Amino acid sequence: MALNVVIMAAGKGTRMKSTLPKVLHRLAGRPLLQHVLDAAAPLQAARTVLITGHGAEAVEAMAAGSGAVYARQMPQLGTGHAVQQAAPLLDDEATTTVVLNGDVPLVQTATIAALAAACGGTRLALLTVELADATGYGRILRKGDAVQAIVEHKDASPAQRAIREVYTGIMAAPTAALRRWLAQLTNDNAQGEYYLTDVVALAAAEGVAVVAAPASGETEVLGVNSPQQLADLERRFQAANALRLMEAGVRLADPARLDVRGTLTCGADVEIDVNCVFEGRVVLGDGVRVGPNCVIRDAEIGPGTAIHAFTHIDEAVVGAGALIGPYARLRPGAALADEVHIGNFVEVKNSTLARGAKANHLAYLGDATVGERVNFGAGSITANYDGANKHRTVIGNDVHVGSNCVLVAPLVLGDGATIGGGSTLSKDAPAGALTVARARPVTLPGWHRPRKTPAR
Ligand code: UD1
Ligand code: MG
């Protein structure tokens, strides 16, 4: 069944008290509107119309690539007025039109699909929910079982305000009838707005069936109007995600102290300690252990590897059986083979480390190719940047770099080379030999320590 999808995203979001348009605020790392676009995408709508207004340029820029077309609503005269702007862009061959809210981010694809099916191009289908406190919402008015109208909170009588069945802001309507109803809306109400919800009474008056489909739960229909509501939805989203991970066998020290802003894929027997943040696409192999307070973004971690506390990993790949951290930093382009050890205060950027290589303390490896079993000493660094260009350091297998060395790239250290501690090395070191590049120690006989001159 072909569909039109209309997403309302013109509102200002005054209560966010932010210069950023409301639908661009992020939930689990993605803009609110992106969640709605992602939920609608599998429905393969013939036409997706995004209604923009406040911050239209930024909102449209975010949605670029989604395939949506834009209808600008200036000024914003209500939800009915908003959908009126979309009407000229609707595809008439798509006989069902779904209306979604850009600030209701957790709506499920299956729910939208079921609502569209309930409409079936002939009925008006409303997504509803029962709320303990329905303040502010449009109430569903019924005669017997049949839905007659929606009355907005501000227009409702005390008896109507006692109704707990509310409209979620999401509906599916027959496209041709929707056009007809939109043309008949007036703004004769408490807010002086054109209410989309008035189409319900118009449908009932025409004898078009109005059906109310319940949402799967409250969470998927909650809107974001304030930072408090945004934080509440973030926690609900994260709690549901943590539950899914635990159901798949992941052991979380505390499901309330995990944040996944993207996709986290875990093998068997993965353990994650408290306060970890995962961003982008992260894959943890079987038996990976992640210590507390780690931030891991766009990374793959091999089986059996331990990531110790306070480690930061960004666009990196780590092999099996590796030990990383505590306090390690893997930056983009770090590719670590199996059994590599990276210890505290070690930074690795755009470098490959072969099997068993170790940099255990206070080091920097940038633009380096590091061989197997290399030991890179405490305080040693690659000086990869000459102020204009980056250069590579190539370290062969079984090289031992002593402590506090500066390897001035471009540089090649042959297999089995040993570099004496404290060396500043600006030319290649041959294989299998000890190279030392520092001043020889000198002892001055007869030297006396200065003494304080007595005061006069
Ligand atoms: C609306 C419904 C109410 C429902 C509630 C659910 C109407 C008249 N009322 O009320 O029955 O219970 O949602 O949350 O529809 N928007 C525009 N242009 C406008 C006005 C709004 O694009 O001119 C957008 C907003 O950005 C928002 C959505 O439409 O995404 C809903 O608008 P909002 O003002 O929040 O409607 P409510 O008063 O909450
Ligand atoms: Mg609202």
Side-chain angles (χ1 to χ4, degrees):
M1 181 184 50
L3 282 183
N4 291 297
V5 170
V6 176
I7 303 174
M8 295 188 289
K12 187 173 184 189
T14 311
R15 282 181 283 159
M16 290 302 293
K17 299 187 176 152
S18 167
T19 53
L20 189 68
K22 178 164 75 175
V23 294
L24 297 187
H25 282 269
R26 285 170 187 273
L27 185 142
R30 273 181 299 159
L32 298 175
L33 179 58
Q34 186 69 56
H35 285 267
V36 180
L37 289 165
D38 290 349
L43 304 172
Q44 299 188 303
R47 185 61 59 82
T48 300
V49 185
L50 183 62
I51 299 162
T52 60
H54 275 283
E57 274 161 29
V59 174
E60 290 166 10
M62 188 242 97
S66 69
V69 295
Y70 312 122
R72 287 209 184 170
Q73 186 200 16
M74 311 266 200
Q76 288 90 39
L77 304 178
T79 52
H81 179 252
V83 181
Q84 280 172 354
Q85 314 311 305
L89 297 169
L90 298 179
D91 181 341
D92 279 307
E93 287 177 17
T95 55
T96 295
T97 296
V98 174
V99 179
L100 303 174
N101 268 320
D103 62 354
V104 180
L106 300 184
V107 63
Q108 302 291 309
T109 303
T111 301
I112 308 170
L115 196 69
C119 165
T122 60
R123 291 166 296 269
L124 177 59
L126 307 174
L127 188 68
T128 61
V129 69
E130 296 237 357
L131 294 179
D133 178 7
T135 308
Y137 286 85
R139 309 299 206 282
I140 305 291
L141 304 187
R142 292 173 182 264
K143 194 190 245 170
D145 260 359
V147 176
Q148 294 295 301
I150 293 174
V151 61
E152 290 304 307
H153 181 88
K154 286 188 179 150
D155 299 281
S157 67
Q160 289 168 333
R161 287 186 180 182
I163 297 170
R164 288 172 35 195
E165 187 187 10
V166 305
Y167 172 56
T168 60
I170 295 172
M171 67 167 67
T175 304
L178 179 63
R179 285 183 193 284
R180 197 165 63 236
W181 300 330
L182 287 171
Q184 297 172 52
L185 296 178
T186 67
N187 62 354
D188 183 15
N189 53 52
Q191 303 186 76
E193 287 184 2
Y194 294 88
Y195 290 165
L196 178 61
T197 43
D198 284 351
V199 303
V200 178
L202 294 169
E206 282 185 14
V208 171
V210 182
V211 293
S216 69
E218 168 186 89
T219 301
E220 73 164 332
V221 297
L222 288 176
V224 173
N225 299 294
S226 63
Q228 295 91 316
Q229 288 175 338
L230 180 59
D232 174 42
L233 277 199
E234 178 79 35
R235 289 343 301 164
R236 287 171 187 250
F237 180 94
Q238 294 299 344
N241 195 61
L243 191 64
R244 270 196 301 278
L245 287 168
M246 291 187 293
E247 280 166 357
V250 178
R251 295 195 288 276
L252 302 176
D254 182 357
R257 283 182 287 171
L258 169 77
D259 284 80
V260 180
R261 302 173 189 151
T263 58
L264 173 61
T265 309
C266 296
D269 284 308
V270 166
E271 289 183 16
I272 301 173
D273 213 324
V274 299
N275 294 331
C276 291
V277 178
F278 296 88
E279 295 179 3
R281 190 181 154 278
V282 175
V283 180
L284 305 180
D286 292 349
V288 166
R289 284 174 296 136
V290 182
N293 302 301
C294 293
V295 178
I296 304 183
R297 176 171 168 270
D298 289 323
E300 269 181 55
I301 312 297
T305 286
I307 311 290
H308 294 299
F310 294 99
T311 289
H312 192 286
I313 298 179
D314 184 10
E315 288 181 47
V317 180
V318 179
L323 300 178
I324 312 296
Y327 298 100
R329 179 165 184 214
L330 305 184
R331 290 173 52 200
L336 280 45
D338 298 350
E339 292 160 35
V340 164
H341 293 188
I342 298 294
N344 43 207
F345 308 108
V346 174
E347 174 181 345
V348 181
K349 183 217 75 167
N350 189 33
S351 294
T352 58
L353 277 73
R355 187 185 191 99
K358 292 179 182 147
N360 272 326
H361 333 264
L362 301 158
Y364 174 57
L365 283 161
D367 304 303
T369 305
V370 180
E372 294 183 6
R373 297 171 300 278
V374 164
N375 197 314
F376 199 76
S380 290
I381 64 161
T382 54
N384 57 326
Y385 185 50
D386 61 13
N389 298 298
K390 300 273 168 66
H391 301 282
R392 242 187 138 72
T393 302
V394 178
I395 304 178
N397 294 334
D398 301 297
V399 168
H400 183 99
V401 177
S403 295
N404 216 32
C405 292
V406 179
L407 305 182
V408 184
L411 197 66
V412 178
L413 311 186
D415 288 348
T418 298
I419 311 301
S423 292
T424 294
L425 202 64
S426 53
K427 77 185 207 339
D428 294 352
L434 169 66
T435 302
V436 185
R438 63 169 186 244
R440 282 181 182 280
V442 179
T443 304
L444 302 183
W447 177 83
H448 294 293
R449 220 184 258 182
R451 293 218 182 94
K452 215 172 187 135
T453 329
R456 285 169 190 262

